[in-house]
Amino acid sequence: MTTQQIKTRDQVEEAYTWDLTTMFADDAAWEQELTELQEKLPKLAAVQGSLSESPEQLTGAIEVLLDTQRSLEKIYVYASMKNDQDQNNTTYQTLDARAMQLYSQYAQTVAFFEPELLAIPEETLSKWLEENDSLAFYRQMLDDKTRFRAHVLSQEEELLLAQASEIFDGANKTFGLLNNADLVFPAIEDENGQQIQLTHSLYGKMLESSDRRVRQDTFKAFYSVYDQFKNTMASVLSTQIKTNNYKAKVRRFNSAREAALFRNNIPESVYDTLLSTVENRLSLLHRYVALRKELLKVDNLEMYDMYTPLLGDAPIKFNYEEAKEITLKALAPLGDDYVSIMQEAFDERWIDLFENKGKRSGAYSSGTYDSKPYILMNWQDNINWLYTLVHELGHSAHSYLTHKHQEYAYGDYSIFLAEIASTTNENLLTNYLLETYQEPHVRLYILNHFLDGLKGTMFRQTQFAEFEHFMYESDANGQPLTQQFLSDNYREMNAKYYGPSVNSDSEIALEWTRIPHFYYNYYVFQYATGFAAATAFSNWILAGKEGALEKYLGFLKSGSSQYAIDTMKTAGLDMTQSDYIDAALDVFENRLNEFETLLAQKK
């Protein structure tokens, strides 16, 4: 038997790596920019005490701040992405650490800004905005800052918090290093008797195996590692939660959730509406899980049975070249200009494609206002990674269009809206595949994949959101977040979501140990709300609803020029209501009905 080896970074063909030279030509250029930024910081500090002198002085201070921030963003993101290429590379570990130190220095330097801005009387600021056109350009940005009046501390207190920024990020950093660089997973035997060393990327692929022995071995081997470190993971996660609860309390918020959602001006009711709406439709998930148990013909359905295709091995799979061709066709409903962005991504090496030793797991889209919107992947030849490709391209297109149509001050977009463009792409891909493949066995497979995808995005991410909120509330109420407490409650919540047909009394109780989004401070719920919003947009676009495409593209170009909820209303969607969530779950129900009908015809 042979063991499949993962390539080192220098063994990966350059054509399949990202070209980061749109940020810096080389590391020496990064060093030069870092030096120049360090020289800029005193100039930024020099505006302290002058913001209230005049509208011209305030405008000048904002522009110095933005210029410094723009440079810092390049330095920080470049170092982070270089480190993600290979987290065993000490050179880029060092650059990443230095960028973090510089960020901390910057945060300390600008700690005066918001307290001083908020010391300007509201009536004075309003008058200046009416009188000065240059300052008026920053009206939305200033409104977004001044609404924090009740939560910004004194200059001295803000400085203390800024000085502790590296400490506050410690738990997240520790988890990332432990999970991505230090944990080594066992080898298992695949269907062909080959020894395969598990990685984060291969774990998901192996759970799709049609061989139940392989799935079971994968599941148990993977979680055996987390079981060894469960107390450490509980301590690290508890520290992260305590940190966010502490910062929320210090800033006079009622909870960490209120603080997290306040950043994007999202009502907490949006979060609660998601949890309650999905909970009311959990019978759909229970029905699908029961069908999975029936089709797999197992006495006891295990969590490692949740990802294998219900109809055996995939009748279709795609290599990367095929995936590129499908992507361009599937996204054609978004127009020629949008498709040309996709082609540019392929042609100009936006994508770091294959797994290598030490590379960060999973996939993401990243970059800066002045760079290409890059994509990190760990490609495998299957339908999941085709979906991941179009998903991350959605993020990158959103960034591309925002940067092209907005000035730097508004050249990003709210985290609350971040998953909509990516998931709209996924929905368009599903529609394309269902239109392209009419053979019943292939169509069943695609429907199965869609149902699993919505299960993972709407139901699973809502489960994560509910558990995240449970952890924060438990800590705030004085409950120690021990591994036993977390495991017992995660097991119970898993049973609630998946229902009686699946065994939740297994290693799945440890799933909380490996979820990076629990370190992102109330981020994960947005996958579910984003999917539901994307379902609405993709349905409208495919149906040819008047103005739908133009409004959708307008949303992609709008950046942060409006608050997120208002941006969606402009695009035709009110996300404070529950109807768009129910509508997405209706799609799940309709396709589940179709899936069951095709199965019945097959008998």
Side-chain angles (χ1 to χ4, degrees):
M1 292 185 294
T2 59
T3 300
Q4 181 175 307
Q5 296 294 322
I6 304 170
K7 290 183 177 181
T8 58
R9 182 68 185 179
D10 59 1
Q11 293 173 327
V12 180
E13 188 177 342
E14 183 181 74
Y16 298 114
T17 63
W18 49 26
D19 174 16
L20 298 185
T21 58
T22 64
M23 277 194 277
F24 293 102
D26 50 32
D27 294 349
W30 181 89
E31 291 283 359
Q32 181 178 346
E33 182 94 4
L34 183 140
T35 300
E36 291 174 357
L37 179 58
Q38 288 173 325
E39 293 171 354
K40 285 181 181 179
L41 290 180
K43 182 180 179 181
L44 179 58
V47 305
Q48 183 173 348
S50 68
L51 270 60
S52 61
E53 291 178 2
S54 69
E56 292 77 16
Q57 189 66 29
L58 177 57
T59 303
I62 290 171
E63 290 172 351
V64 171
L65 177 72
L66 291 175
D67 179 62
T68 308
Q69 182 179 301
R70 189 168 176 173
S71 181
L72 175 65
E73 181 183 90
K74 289 172 61 181
I75 291 167
Y76 183 89
V77 173
Y78 177 85
S80 175
M81 292 174 68
K82 280 287 192 179
N83 186 45
D84 286 346
Q85 292 176 178
D86 181 0
Q87 296 191 352
N88 293 318
N89 186 315
T90 57
T91 297
Y92 293 118
Q93 288 180 8
T94 302
L95 259 62
D96 192 42
R98 289 173 62 199
M100 179 62 74
Q101 291 168 357
L102 183 62
Y103 178 82
S104 178
Q105 186 181 353
Y106 163 83
Q108 294 172 49
T109 303
V110 302
F112 74 89
F113 186 86
E114 290 189 8
E116 193 172 320
L117 172 66
L118 298 182
I120 301 174
E122 287 187 59
E123 56 273 18
T124 299
L125 187 58
S126 295
K127 184 171 180 289
W128 286 359
L129 286 167
E130 294 301 324
E131 294 175 348
N132 188 289
D133 290 341
S134 296
L135 184 62
F137 173 76
Y138 299 108
R139 183 185 299 275
Q140 172 65 20
M141 188 183 85
L142 289 169
D143 185 71
D144 200 24
K145 290 185 180 298
T146 56
R147 68 187 180 85
F148 281 82
R149 286 183 188 276
H151 305 291
V152 173
L153 309 179
S154 69
Q155 181 177 326
E156 293 78 12
E157 290 168 329
E158 288 291 342
L159 180 59
L160 285 173
L161 287 177
Q163 289 171 336
S165 61
E166 287 187 78
I167 299 171
F168 290 151
D169 195 50
N172 183 26
K173 199 79 171 177
T174 299
F175 172 79
L177 286 170
L178 184 61
N179 200 45
N180 294 311
D182 291 344
L183 294 187
V184 178
F185 299 97
I188 68 154
E189 187 177 298
D190 71 6
E191 300 91 332
N192 303 314
Q194 184 179 13
Q195 289 292 311
I196 304 291
Q197 183 177 349
L198 288 177
T199 64
H200 289 284
S201 179
L202 283 174
Y203 172 71
K205 182 178 181 181
M206 300 301 279
L207 285 186
E208 295 172 11
S209 172
S210 59
D211 187 327
R212 198 175 194 220
R213 191 272 306 163
V214 172
R215 300 198 301 270
Q216 181 182 42
D217 289 354
T218 297
F219 187 76
K220 290 187 175 295
F222 195 71
Y223 275 106
S224 71
V225 176
Y226 288 100
D227 187 55
Q228 293 176 55
F229 294 94
K230 59 190 175 186
N231 291 297
T232 299
M233 291 298 196
S235 177
V236 173
L237 182 53
S238 176
T239 299
Q240 177 74 16
I241 289 168
K242 287 181 181 297
T243 296
N244 289 328
N245 272 336
Y246 168 76
K247 289 195 293 185
K249 184 176 181 180
V250 165
R251 292 196 177 280
R252 298 184 287 270
F253 286 101
N254 293 318
S255 67
R257 188 178 75 169
E258 182 189 23
L261 271 63
F262 187 86
R263 287 199 309 269
N264 296 300
N265 206 18
I266 306 300
E268 285 190 90
S269 61
V270 171
Y271 201 103
D272 291 328
T273 297
L274 171 68
L275 298 190
S276 61
T277 305
V278 171
E279 182 170 14
N280 288 339
R281 305 288 294 275
L282 282 179
S283 59
L284 284 174
L285 181 57
H286 297 174
R287 174 181 154 196
Y288 181 53
V289 169
L291 178 61
R292 175 171 284 275
K293 181 178 180 181
E294 176 187 343
L295 290 174
L296 291 178
K297 297 181 174 63
V298 294
D299 293 332
N300 297 297
L301 187 71
E302 300 289 343
M303 287 302 295
Y304 56 74
D305 296 319
M306 296 304 295
Y307 301 97
T308 185
L310 288 172
L311 306 168
D313 290 333
I316 50 173
K317 67 176 182 177
F318 313 95
N319 62 34
Y320 181 55
E321 294 305 316
E322 292 167 335
K324 290 195 294 186
E325 182 180 350
I326 290 170
T327 296
L328 298 176
K329 292 178 179 177
L331 302 182
L334 295 177
D336 292 342
D337 289 344
Y338 190 95
V339 171
S340 71
I341 298 171
M342 302 297 98
Q343 190 66 59
E344 185 177 340
F346 297 139
D347 294 343
E348 298 189 7
R349 287 177 54 204
W350 293 10
I351 304 169
D352 202 84
L353 191 65
F354 293 116
E355 183 176 19
N356 58 254
K357 286 184 179 179
K359 186 176 179 181
R360 175 174 166 159
S361 63
Y364 66 67
S365 170
S366 185
T368 70
Y369 183 82
D370 298 299
S371 79
K372 303 294 185 184
Y374 295 104
I375 295 171
L376 178 141
M377 298 188 73
N378 286 272
W379 176 268
Q380 301 287 337
D381 288 348
N382 60 44
I383 196 170
N384 284 338
W385 280 97
L386 170 62
Y387 271 86
T388 300
L389 176 64
V390 299
H391 179 101
E392 299 304 337
L393 283 167
H395 286 307
S396 289
H398 193 177
S399 297
Y400 180 96
L401 289 168
T402 293
H403 298 165
K404 184 176 180 179
H405 292 274
Q406 297 293 330
E407 296 293 331
Y408 178 75
Y410 302 118
D412 59 0
Y413 45 82
S414 167
I415 288 294
F416 181 67
L417 305 179
E419 297 303 326
I420 296 175
S422 55
T423 314
T424 298
N425 277 11
E426 287 193 55
N427 287 336
L428 293 173
L429 174 60
T430 298
N431 181 76
Y432 171 80
L433 293 175
L434 288 173
E435 285 188 343
T436 302
Y437 295 98
Q438 297 301 318
E439 303 91 336
H441 70 292
V442 178
R443 191 172 182 82
L444 277 165
Y445 180 82
I446 296 167
L447 287 167
N448 177 195
H449 186 272
F450 167 80
L451 295 169
D452 281 344
L454 191 146
K455 168 179 67 70
T457 305
M458 289 288 291
F459 291 111
R460 179 174 162 82
Q461 305 304 326
T462 302
Q463 176 187 348
F464 287 166
E466 184 173 347
F467 191 72
E468 179 177 18
H469 190 49
F470 166 79
M471 289 190 290
Y472 274 97
E473 286 192 316
S474 297
D475 177 74
N477 291 331
Q479 170 65 50
L481 301 184
T482 64
Q483 69 84 13
Q484 193 65 57
F485 176 80
L486 294 174
S487 297
D488 288 345
N489 282 279
Y490 194 88
R491 181 186 298 109
E492 182 179 333
M493 193 169 292
N494 197 78
K496 167 186 165 182
Y497 271 77
Y498 288 92
S501 295
V502 71
N503 175 30
S504 292
D505 189 17
S506 70
E507 290 87 347
I508 198 63
L510 291 170
E511 189 170 38
W512 58 268
T513 61
R514 68 180 193 88
I515 305 302
H517 292 86
F518 288 155
Y519 295 82
Y520 294 178
N521 193 15
Y522 285 96
Y523 180 97
V524 72
F525 85 101
Q526 295 157 140
Y527 285 109
T529 56
F531 185 96
T535 300
F537 284 127
S538 56
N539 286 347
W540 294 340
I541 291 166
L542 289 169
K545 181 179 178 181
E546 185 177 357
L549 178 57
E550 290 73 18
K551 287 182 178 180
Y552 176 71
L553 294 174
F555 147 60
L556 297 183
K557 297 171 183 176
S558 64
S560 55
S561 58
Q562 287 182 295
Y563 290 121
I565 292 293
D566 295 331
T567 296
M568 286 293 93
K569 288 180 179 177
T570 300
L573 183 65
D574 186 352
M575 294 183 71
T576 66
Q577 303 301 310
S578 63
D579 54 349
Y580 76 105
I581 302 171
D582 268 319
L585 295 173
D586 287 343
V587 174
F588 181 88
E589 184 170 13
N590 290 337
R591 286 186 171 158
L592 178 56
N593 292 340
E594 182 181 355
F595 186 69
E596 290 172 334
T597 299
L598 285 172
L599 284 173
Q601 292 172 355
K602 201 179 165 192
K603 290 179 179 178

